[in-house]
Amino acid sequence: MQSIIGKVVDTYEITGILGKGGMGVVYKAKDMTLDRDVALKMMDANLARDEEFLKRFKSEAKALAKLQNRNIVSVFALRETELGLALVMEFVDGTTLADQLRLQGPIPLARTMHIFKQILGALGDAHRNNVIHRDIKPSNVMLTKDDVVKVTDFGLAKIQQVSGATVTMGTGGTLYYMSPEQIRGLANVDQRGDIYSIGMTLYETVTGRVPFGNDLTDFDIRQMIVEGKIPPPERFNAALPKELVQVIVKSIHKDPNKRFQSCEEMSAALGAIELKPEDGEVKRATVEPLPRLPKYKPRPSPKRPLFVTLGAGVVLIAGLFIARSYLFPPTGVLSIDSDPPGSTISVNGSAAGVTPLENISLAAGKVVVVVDKEGYYRKDTTLSLDAGQNVSLLITLRKLPTQAAAQQEETAAGSEQKPAVQQPISERRTENVTTVPAERKPAPATRGETAAPARASLVLRAVPSGSVVVDGGPRTNLGTSGSSVEVAPGQRTIIFEHPTYGSKRINVTLKTGEQRQLTCYFETYLSVATTGDAAWGLLVIDGKATDVQTPIDGYPLGPGRHRISVSKMGYETVEGEKVVVVEPTFERRVERLSFTLKRK
């Protein structure tokens, strides 16, 4: 299919592309009848056959049609065209809040307050009209040149009817900004879910980042939102007024009943904050600026020809720039946080302090970070830092076996080897240790004492979280970090269970003193790439199109036999569908697929 730029669709002349989304392409167009610019959202023709997406597209039109607010993008019409269903909307001449954050980082607080009072006013009006947005994020907040807010993309909106019936489109949303109840897929997600998303958007606006590390998987982030602890925003911007921190923390509380209950309530809390002149500047750890080169001041010489003076100056300035590149090589900035905090950090073999550490200025190139804390496995991370790049790491450490178990191992080892040389526990840490390998003979009990029964231990985890039964005993729920169980040595039967994905059984044989770690992965993770005539498409699972756009890395897929493909309007895949069979395993499995799209 050729480009439709320059063509007339219905009564609209297509003049450009504004963006691509999960349901289609948004074009800039000229309304030939009224002579005005509009945004034309064209639904993907392949998705139009999917009843779920058709409902979602029409839901956006209905949601916007109910709203007449200066800070919400207006909808003009829903038209059936020769190219499919099209939503005609107000054209906004501006950029998104996400673009602003990418370009300048954290936004000054006075401007932030101005922007978010408009966002809260817009969403408050939507909520009064029984419309829940469900996908508030910086990229769905547009800003005109005069900082007038236009909230857009109501494609995931839920329209609440007075009768109690609702039109819902699954969990929807974008992971970083989704509320815990939205991630759980609860049917009763209400306006407090939008308030959570507004709070997380406010968090990013005043700190310049979301509270999730770059090394976390989607599963880790979901668990952190639902069960974990979100770092407070002052960790990333120490200059934030405590009143603003309290507003953000309350708005993203895990319990909807403990959040602000309405946009009006949150707006009033923001309005009560009195800003000081110094508020709004991001304060992090002090970074020494590069020393300034001395200014060159040539001595005046009336006998020196002008061209000689100019030439010498040019040569000297060029030499200074060359010298500066050697004396002061290009740098980047690294910030490091850890779970648990207070971990000792070394960077490129030199001690850097304890976490959290922020704004460490480093020479561009390979960087080796070592994170260590008593009672945890040490973790080494290697990354490449580019000149001018600002990288944030959040590193999670795994607990070591208990001190008592380690001491018992050392004592037993000493009874077999002479002389006994005890190695400090901290020196034995390694990220890859999963067992305490050797079975030791217990030290003989002294007269009058009873020898302790021989024991072994299991560290069990399920992804996603589920429960476990060991040797037919009681069922134990497995949280994010798993569960440690002491058992007798010998053969043990372990059954991992998940409420949706079923169960997985395994038999293990344990030696005395051994610790065995087992993680049951109920999901396989899809990595999908698109090549050929189009660089992106939409993931299709079992014949149903999703709103997930390729390239994809780490998309979870539950047990069963699944048909996987990619869809894009005007294109078809060369390979057709590919079959992926998923079964629970004890190793994290990634299924890598590639599809070639060609024009029809």
Coordinates of all heavy atoms in Angstrom, one line a residue, residues 203 231-238 283-284 337-338 341 356 358 394:
Y203 N 5.6 12.6 39.5 CA 6.8 12.1 40.0 C 7.9 12.2 38.9 O 9.0 12.8 39.2 CB 6.6 10.6 40.3 CG 7.8 9.9 41.1 CD1 7.6 9.3 42.3 CD2 9.0 9.8 40.5 CE1 8.6 8.6 43.0 CE2 10.1 9.1 41.1 CZ 9.8 8.6 42.4 OH 10.8 7.9 43.0
P231 N 10.5 3.9 45.6 CA 11.4 4.9 46.2 C 10.7 6.3 46.3 O 10.1 6.7 45.3 CB 12.6 4.9 45.3 CG 12.5 3.6 44.6 CD 11.1 3.3 44.4
P232 N 10.8 7.0 47.4 CA 10.2 8.4 47.4 C 10.9 9.3 46.4 O 12.1 9.2 46.2 CB 10.4 8.8 48.9 CG 11.6 8.0 49.3 CD 11.5 6.7 48.6
P233 N 10.2 10.3 45.9 CA 10.8 11.2 44.9 C 12.0 12.0 45.3 O 12.8 12.4 44.5 CB 9.6 12.1 44.4 CG 8.6 12.0 45.6 CD 8.8 10.6 46.2
E234 N 12.0 12.3 46.7 CA 13.2 13.1 47.1 C 14.5 12.4 47.0 O 15.6 13.0 47.1 CB 13.0 13.6 48.6 CG 13.0 12.5 49.6 CD 11.6 12.0 50.0 OE1 10.8 12.0 49.1 OE2 11.4 11.6 51.1
R235 N 14.4 11.0 46.8 CA 15.7 10.3 46.6 C 16.4 10.8 45.3 O 17.6 10.7 45.1 CB 15.4 8.8 46.5 CG 16.6 8.0 46.2 CD 16.4 6.5 46.2 NE 16.1 6.0 47.6 CZ 15.9 4.7 47.9 NH1 16.1 3.8 46.9 NH2 15.6 4.4 49.1
F236 N 15.6 11.2 44.3 CA 16.1 11.7 43.0 C 16.1 13.2 42.9 O 16.7 13.7 41.9 CB 15.3 11.0 41.9 CG 15.2 9.5 42.0 CD1 14.0 8.9 42.3 CD2 16.4 8.7 41.8 CE1 14.0 7.5 42.4 CE2 16.3 7.4 42.0 CZ 15.1 6.7 42.2
N237 N 15.5 13.9 43.8 CA 15.5 15.4 43.8 C 15.4 15.8 45.2 O 14.3 16.0 45.7 CB 14.5 15.9 42.9 CG 14.6 17.5 42.8 OD1 15.4 18.1 43.4 ND2 13.7 18.1 41.9
A238 N 16.5 16.1 45.8 CA 16.5 16.4 47.3 C 15.9 17.8 47.5 O 15.7 18.2 48.7 CB 17.9 16.4 47.8
K283 N 18.5 19.0 43.1 CA 19.7 18.9 43.9 C 20.1 17.5 44.1 O 19.4 16.7 44.6 CB 19.5 19.6 45.3 CG 19.3 21.1 45.2 CD 19.1 21.7 46.6 CE 18.9 23.2 46.6 NZ 18.7 23.7 47.9
R284 N 21.3 17.2 43.6 CA 21.8 15.8 43.7 C 23.2 15.9 44.4 O 23.6 17.0 44.9 CB 21.9 15.1 42.4 CG 20.6 15.1 41.6 CD 20.8 14.4 40.3 NE 19.6 14.5 39.4 CZ 18.6 13.7 39.4 NH1 18.5 12.7 40.3 NH2 17.6 13.9 38.6
D337 N 21.6 3.1 42.7 CA 20.8 2.8 43.9 C 20.7 1.3 44.0 O 21.0 0.6 43.0 CB 19.4 3.4 43.8 CG 18.8 3.6 45.1 OD1 19.4 3.1 46.1 OD2 17.7 4.2 45.2
S338 N 20.4 0.8 45.2 CA 20.4 -0.6 45.4 C 19.2 -1.0 46.3 O 18.7 -0.2 47.0 CB 21.7 -1.1 46.0 OG 21.8 -0.6 47.3
P341 N 19.2 -0.6 50.3 CA 20.1 0.6 50.2 C 21.2 0.4 51.2 O 21.3 -0.5 52.0 CB 19.2 1.7 50.6 CG 18.1 1.1 51.4 CD 17.9 -0.3 50.9
P356 N 22.2 5.4 48.4 CA 22.2 5.8 47.0 C 23.3 6.8 46.6 O 23.6 7.7 47.4 CB 20.8 6.5 46.8 CG 20.5 7.0 48.2 CD 21.1 6.0 49.1
E358 N 24.6 9.5 43.6 CA 24.0 10.2 42.4 C 25.0 11.1 41.8 O 25.9 11.6 42.5 CB 22.8 10.9 42.8 CG 21.7 10.0 43.3 CD 20.4 10.8 43.5 OE1 20.4 12.0 43.4 OE2 19.4 10.1 43.9
L394 N 19.5 0.7 39.2 CA 18.9 0.2 40.4 C 19.2 -1.3 40.5 O 18.7 -2.1 39.6 CB 17.4 0.4 40.4 CG 16.6 -0.1 41.6 CD1 17.2 0.5 42.9 CD2 15.2 0.2 41.5

